[in-house]
Amino acid sequence: MEPGSASKPNPPFATPRNCILVVEDEILIRMMVSDELRDAGFHVIEACDADEALTILRSVVPDLIVSDIRMPGSLDGLGLLAAVRESFPMLPVIITSSHLPSAAPVCDSATQFVAKPYRPEGIIKAVRGELAKPT
Amino acid sequence: MSADPAAEEIVSSVLIMDGDIVSRHVIADYLRHCGYGVVEAANTDEALIALCEPTLSVDVILCDMSALGSQTGFELASWVRTNRPELEVRLAGGVEMAAQTAAELCESGPHLARPYEPEAVVDYIKRLRASRLP
């Protein structure tokens, strides 16, 4: 018998591996992406804009961020990316937009661009590809 | 004859509307552990978009009274009672009340059990807020 096997399960509060922060201001797109990622086995945190993303990043460090570019709030997606890079230079970030940004903001090795509209499986493939890269 | 398998696929859904991402995320995860489908809305405008989306099924709304948006939480609740009277609205005025309401939903929901105590949910939210990096 394993010690403690009869005790109540602990809440799954420790940030699990494969934690993805999805930053998207359109709730239906955010929900679609998040649900697909959950179905693929990822733990997902949903943020409606860059301000919410920065709030959660003060408490939780995800394994990867998926962020839209055009969002309301004090920062857009590229502003969020710049803020993330100050504290987490190697944290993988997938930037999504229907408008191709200039190359400069997204040219580092930890950042990938995925054009909208995208299929959920395209995002999942991109997420898996980024997480599989050697750190 | 076996029961209709489609009936077993039905999962109740909760729309949680909370402007605080920390409490919204933790309570949404708690409800997912209870077996609910969960829609997360950050404000009343997002909640209305979700409620007007015909492909989205929502059974219960857990509504933070202080949520932001073009309507207040009370106004959204009033809109729901007028336009979607079949939906159950639970108003919550703080993280403790929201966690307790989520725990009550768990006891009547898909798994009919709390995965863990609501006090643990509140403690975790408080720890997350206290541990914020500068």
Side-chain angles (χ1 to χ4, degrees), chain A residues 12-13 27 30-31 34-35 38 43-47 52 56, chain B residues 11-42 60-63 95 98-103 105-106 110-111 115-116 118 121-122 124-125 128:
Chain A
F13 284 150
I27 181 174
R30 186 175 74 235
M31 201 180 68
S34 299
D35 284 350
R38 288 189 185 98
H43 180 85
V44 179
I45 301 173
E46 298 183 32
E52 278 204 345
I56 201 74
Chain B
V11 175
S12 298
S13 292
V14 178
L15 168 65
I16 175 169
M17 187 194 62
D18 193 323
D20 181 336
I21 185 174
V22 174
S23 60
R24 184 179 73 238
H25 167 64
V26 174
I27 291 173
D29 266 5
Y30 180 70
L31 289 165
R32 288 189 182 99
H33 281 114
C34 295
Y36 281 102
V38 180
V39 178
E40 297 184 42
V60 181
I61 302 171
L62 178 50
C63 181
V95 66
Q100 185 57 44
T101 304
L105 288 171
C106 288
H111 293 176
Y116 34 90
V121 177
V122 175
Y124 180 58
I125 291 170
L128 274 182

Side-chain angles (χ1 to χ4, degrees), chain B residues 52-121:
Chain B
C52 292
E53 171 56 42
T55 62
L56 264 186
S57 169
V58 173
D59 303 295
V60 181
I61 302 171
L62 178 50
C63 181
D64 174 23
M65 285 187 285
S66 60
L68 301 175
S70 56
Q71 297 188 29
T72 66
F74 282 118
E75 287 170 336
L76 177 73
S78 176
W79 182 92
V80 170
R81 286 176 181 129
T82 301
N83 296 281
R84 298 285 303 274
E86 76 279 13
L87 299 186
E88 180 183 354
V89 180
R90 301 281 191 102
L91 290 169
V95 66
E96 288 87 355
M97 195 185 295
Q100 185 57 44
T101 304
E104 290 166 8
L105 288 171
C106 288
E107 290 179 338
S108 60
H111 293 176
L112 301 176
R114 300 173 176 182
Y116 34 90
E117 293 303 313
E119 292 79 10
V121 177

Side-chain angles (χ1 to χ4, degrees), chain A residues 44-118:
Chain A
V44 179
I45 301 173
E46 298 183 32
C48 72
D49 57 25
D51 298 307
E52 278 204 345
L54 291 173
T55 297
I56 201 74
L57 282 168
R58 294 189 190 102
S59 303
V60 177
V61 181
D63 296 293
L64 184 146
I65 298 173
V66 177
S67 177
D68 188 19
I69 290 182
R70 293 190 172 187
M71 293 183 291
S74 63
L75 292 173
D76 64 7
L78 296 179
L80 172 64
L81 176 62
V84 166
R85 285 286 166 263
E86 286 184 12
S87 301
F88 310 103
M90 295 310 295
L91 180 64
V93 177
I94 295 173
I95 291 288
T96 68
S97 178
S98 54
H99 298 84
L100 188 66
S102 61
V106 292
C107 66
D108 66 79
S109 62
T111 307
Q112 185 180 154
F113 178 77
V114 173
K116 282 184 172 179
Y118 49 72

